[in-house]
Amino acid sequence: FFFLMIRRPPRSTQSRSSAASDVYKRQEYMGIIINTKPKMADTSVNWIMKFINSPVGPKTTHFWGPICNWFLVVQGFLERDRAPARISRNMQTVLVIYSSSFMRFAYQVKPRNWLLFSMHLMNVVVQGNLLYRRITWENDMNKKGLNIEEAELKAKEDFLEAAAAKKRAKEAKKAQAQVLSLIHIS
């Protein structure tokens, strides 16, 4: 019933600056002024549609590029506990320089791509932390008078030994579970 009271303005008066268009923004019915402005839910839908259709929205590579690049940040975060000997100094250096330069690009491009900027900022922080750990470890090895290549080989052997011990423990646990299930069955 109420939708019948809201009339669409004629095509000739749809200009925003038109005085006639102001008449259609507020309409009166039986002494009650009816606002034809969109409600809050409509505004949020308009905001979502505005974002979707924006130059950095999900219809563009300016959105999906940074989303995919967040995997670099996730990878760095997952390696935060990695042994410093197993961190690649060259790779971390390249990632820090790459993200630093593209962070500037994301800020300079119009419209500013804050999603890309935030991703590169976080990548500099995460990869820079890994690079710092590697450089600190190398300095400690030099202070102890150890060769870095030998320390890397030893760290690799220790890692392989720990992986083998973990595999043996897993197999032993599996065998124990099988024995317990046989005892429980009988």
Side-chain angles (χ1 to χ4, degrees):
F1 174 76
F2 286 105
F3 68 89
L4 295 175
M5 294 185 295
I6 301 171
R7 293 176 293 156
R8 185 169 182 229
R11 292 196 184 278
S12 62
T13 62
Q14 286 188 352
S15 170
R16 288 185 181 178
S17 62
S18 166
S21 68
D22 291 339
V23 172
Y24 294 101
K25 290 181 184 172
R26 294 183 338 156
Q27 296 181 6
E28 190 173 330
Y29 177 73
M30 295 174 44
I32 301 171
I33 295 178
I34 300 169
N35 249 340
T36 59
K37 287 183 178 179
K39 303 290 186 251
M40 189 59 116
D42 294 338
T43 305
S44 64
V45 170
N46 289 338
W47 182 85
I48 292 169
M49 291 308 296
K50 186 178 176 183
F51 170 71
I52 289 172
N53 294 322
S54 74
V56 292
K59 291 183 177 180
T60 67
T61 57
H62 299 290
F63 177 81
W64 292 108
I67 293 296
C68 292
N69 276 335
W70 273 100
F71 288 111
L72 294 172
V73 178
V74 171
Q75 171 270 335
F77 182 75
L78 293 175
E79 290 189 359
R80 70 190 181 282
D81 295 329
R82 181 178 258 206
R86 299 192 60 230
I87 296 172
S88 171
R89 181 180 186 171
N90 294 339
M91 186 65 185
Q92 302 317 120
T93 303
V94 167
L95 285 171
V96 168
I97 292 170
Y98 157 76
S99 282
S100 298
S101 61
F102 275 92
M103 190 168 41
R104 183 181 184 283
F105 167 79
Y107 185 77
Q108 294 295 330
V109 72
K110 299 290 182 203
R112 288 202 171 112
N113 194 337
W114 293 110
L115 183 61
L116 183 65
F117 181 84
S118 64
M119 184 282 307
H120 283 299
L121 178 66
M122 288 304 298
N123 200 33
V124 166
V125 169
V126 170
Q127 305 298 346
N129 180 41
L130 291 171
L131 180 61
Y132 174 77
R133 287 182 53 224
R134 171 63 187 215
I135 291 171
T136 303
W137 176 79
E138 287 179 1
N139 288 339
D140 290 345
M141 292 298 112
N142 287 335
K143 285 179 184 175
K144 292 178 183 176
L146 299 173
N147 188 352
I148 292 176
E149 287 81 17
E150 290 174 7
E152 285 178 339
L153 282 174
K154 183 174 181 342
K156 185 177 182 179
E157 290 171 2
D158 291 345
F159 173 76
L160 292 175
E161 185 178 313
K166 188 175 179 181
K167 185 178 179 181
R168 285 192 301 270
K170 188 176 181 180
E171 289 172 357
K173 189 174 181 180
K174 186 178 178 181
Q176 183 183 16
Q178 288 175 346
V179 168
L180 288 175
S181 68
L182 289 175
I183 292 172
H184 184 68
I185 292 174
S186 53

